[in-house]
Amino acid sequence: KNQVEQSPQSLIILEGKNCTLQCNYTVSPFSNLRWYKQDTGRGPVSLTIMTFSENTKSNGRYTATLDADTKQSSLHITASQLSDSASYICVVSARSGYSTLTFGKGTMLLVSP
Amino acid sequence: GAVVSQHPSWVICKSGTSVKIECRSLDFQATTMFWYRQFPKQSLMLMATSNEGSKATYEQGVEKDKFLINHASLTLSTLTVTSAHPEDSSFYICSARDRDRVANYGYTFGSGTRLTVV
């Protein structure tokens, strides 16, 4: 069964600090992995998309890594800002079809002043 | 960039009435749109997949007669919650797949609709 597990479930950090969110998956055959940011009451917004051959991808203060061998990904946020407070969702796509997206439950990040 | 507009952003309706939610791709053509439901502190759950001009494919456990989906054009899909009940209260999100960005795995989500049935 395809699964995506995220950790931690929630996280509180001080403004300006860095943090790393984890995503482990068992989706097969793997196609790509996406990180989304979802503000409360809003739809998810894409941060990064990585395919099998990509190890690292950055988008401003967000840097995602992918280890396809261990089936792990991380999202690193540097110099956090209050506006980074949101849920971060890891989504893995199986190669068998565009509709086979497996969503993680998300990590709720709160950046405190 | 690709933009998906979802309307309304929130709606309150009485039990037994129907509610229509619209999902529009503003600057691209979406051959496929997806409808999700999200409960508090839970991940998105796929309800159905709709392809332009054909019937939607519903996930197991989703009542097709209760959640009517219409994808009449390449830029518009609608979800109608019929005879709504309080247990239908949830956050509904659509996403659209860009026909011309298939190779780049293009998916864009709408901003969601908060439905409250009283």
Side-chain angles (χ1 to χ4, degrees):
Chain A
K1 180 181 178 182
N2 290 337
Q3 287 186 317
V4 175
E5 300 288 339
Q6 290 188 243
S7 63
Q9 189 174 38
S10 61
L11 181 64
I12 302 175
I13 62 172
L14 291 176
E15 185 179 11
K17 298 296 185 181
N18 303 335
C19 67
T20 300
L21 314 179
Q22 300 291 340
C23 173
N24 297 337
Y25 62 92
T26 57
V27 176
S28 180
F30 176 84
S31 175
N32 59 81
L33 184 146
R34 317 147 188 260
W35 281 95
Y36 286 90
K37 177 187 179 186
Q38 185 179 22
D39 292 311
T40 301
R42 306 289 294 176
V45 174
S46 179
L47 296 176
T48 63
I49 301 175
M50 290 190 293
T51 59
F52 185 88
S53 60
E54 297 175 296
N55 300 119
T56 303
K57 182 166 281 189
S58 293
N59 178 2
R61 294 181 295 104
Y62 301 103
T63 298
T65 65
L66 174 65
D67 186 334
D69 292 329
T70 61
K71 298 185 178 180
Q72 296 179 327
S73 175
S74 66
L75 179 68
H76 187 72
I77 304 174
T78 59
S80 62
Q81 300 175 359
L82 298 179
S83 58
D84 292 333
S85 296
S87 178
Y88 291 83
I89 304 172
C90 176
V91 183
V92 182
S93 176
R95 200 184 310 140
S96 59
Y98 56 78
S99 63
T100 54
L101 298 181
T102 304
F103 288 78
K105 291 187 177 181
T107 292
M108 179 62 69
L109 173 66
L110 175 62
V111 180
S112 176
Chain B
V3 177
V4 172
S5 173
Q6 190 171 338
H7 178 82
S9 56
W10 61 270
V11 59
I12 301 173
C13 71
K14 291 183 177 180
S15 289
T17 61
S18 296
V19 174
K20 179 183 284 187
I21 303 170
E22 291 189 348
C23 181
R24 293 179 184 273
S25 57
L26 297 186
D27 51 0
F28 66 96
Q29 294 186 322
T31 50
T32 306
M33 288 188 175
F34 308 88
W35 288 95
Y36 297 87
R37 186 172 180 176
Q38 186 178 32
F39 292 105
K41 298 183 180 180
Q42 297 293 316
S43 63
L44 281 71
M45 294 174 52
L46 180 65
M47 299 174 65
T49 302
S50 72
N51 292 297
E52 184 265 337
S54 62
K55 291 183 178 180
T57 302
Y58 290 81
E59 295 299 300
Q60 189 174 11
V62 178
E63 301 175 56
K64 60 180 67 177
D65 293 331
K66 180 168 187 60
F67 299 99
L68 300 179
I69 292 174
N70 183 279
H71 192 165
S73 75
L74 285 172
T75 59
L76 174 64
S77 176
T78 61
L79 167 67
T80 301
V81 183
T82 62
S83 187
H85 291 284
E87 55 265 32
D88 297 326
S89 298
S90 187
F91 192 57
Y92 294 86
I93 306 174
C94 70
S95 77
R97 188 172 185 238
D98 188 338
R99 182 185 67 175
D100 297 325
R101 290 179 61 221
V102 169
N104 293 324
Y105 318 105
Y107 288 87
T108 303
F109 285 87
S111 56
T113 297
R114 171 71 60 191
L115 171 63
T116 303
V117 184
V118 298

